[in-house]
């Protein structure tokens, strides 16, 4: 199996299992079984579980932020785009299988013992804050509103 295909399958399986069950309850054999990738190939692609966890969070961040931005960009008025963030979050919360914020969940499980997980959670939150800052600026609203919106979204 090609390395890129194996990586994609492993990340798909990790995302499904880690998000549904938590990181610590999912073993590498669970990932192997769900992905159809041999254990040998799994460890060639991700030599340690922590590397798989970090890659899962990084890929999920890219997808999550892209999906939110895609939703927000359907709105033309810059001020309404700020509100559209919350509509996008509402849609996400209503999805079947919603289990909260993957980065907060991961940080809660491993943030104290995994610098990589803590770093991924911080990057995600800072990127989201930066996205809100951009929307607030484009709408001509006071910059201080960014922190209030961030707190409201994260609250």
């Amino acid at each position: 199996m090609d390395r890129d295909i194996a990586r994609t399958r492993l990340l798909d399986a990790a995302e499904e299992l880690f998000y549904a069950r938590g990181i610590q309850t999912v073993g590498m054999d669970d990932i192997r079984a769900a992905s159809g990738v041999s254990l040998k190939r799994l460890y060639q692609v991700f030599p340690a579980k922590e590397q798989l966890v970090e890659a899962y969070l990084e890929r999920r961040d890219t997808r999550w932020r892209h999906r939110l931005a895609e939703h927000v960009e359907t709105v033309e008025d810059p001020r309404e785009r700020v509100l559209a963030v919350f509509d996008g979050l509402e849609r996400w919360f209503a999805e079947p299988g919603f289990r909260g914020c993957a980065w907060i969940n991961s940080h809660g499980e491993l943030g104290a013992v995994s610098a990589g997980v803590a770093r991924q959670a911080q990057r995600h939150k800072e990127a989201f804050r930066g996205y809100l800052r951009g929307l607030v600026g484009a709408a001509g609203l006071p910059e201080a509103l960014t922190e209030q919106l961030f707190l409201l979204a994260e609250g």
Side-chain angles (χ1 to χ4, degrees):
M1 177 181 302
D2 170 278
R3 185 178 179 87
D4 291 337
I5 291 170
R7 179 174 168 63
T8 298
R9 284 181 165 185
L10 291 165
L11 287 171
D12 289 346
E15 184 162 4
E16 181 179 325
L17 294 172
F18 290 160
Y19 187 69
R21 294 176 23 198
I23 295 167
Q24 294 185 74
T25 65
V26 175
M28 293 301 258
D29 198 51
D30 296 321
I31 300 293
R32 181 210 49 81
S35 68
V37 174
S38 73
L39 203 56
K40 179 180 178 182
R41 181 53 123 175
L42 187 163
Y43 281 110
Q44 287 172 342
V45 177
F46 296 105
K49 184 177 179 181
E50 185 166 352
Q51 291 173 328
L52 176 59
V53 172
E54 288 180 42
Y56 143 69
L57 290 171
E58 186 173 333
R59 185 178 81 156
R60 186 172 176 96
D61 171 66
T62 300
R63 289 176 167 186
W64 186 90
R65 288 189 299 119
H66 175 75
R67 193 167 145 207
L68 180 62
E70 197 172 64
H71 172 76
V72 169
E73 289 169 11
T74 64
V75 177
E76 301 229 0
D77 180 80
R79 286 180 176 239
E80 293 296 319
R81 282 184 170 189
V82 173
L83 297 175
V85 168
F86 293 93
D87 295 334
L89 292 175
E90 180 182 30
R91 287 176 48 188
W92 175 47
F93 298 161
E95 288 178 359
F98 175 75
R99 296 190 39 87
C101 175
W103 299 272
I104 290 174
N105 294 346
S106 299
H107 190 272
E109 279 191 77
L110 299 171
V113 295
S114 170
V117 168
R119 189 172 41 255
Q120 288 296 328
Q122 184 170 1
R123 283 180 184 160
H124 171 73
K125 297 306 177 185
E126 287 304 317
F128 180 52
R129 179 183 276 120
Y131 179 66
L132 289 173
R133 186 177 297 112
L135 291 174
V136 166
L141 298 168
E143 188 176 334
L145 183 60
T146 299
E147 289 305 313
Q148 296 166 341
L149 292 172
F150 181 76
L151 182 59
L152 184 61
E154 292 295 319

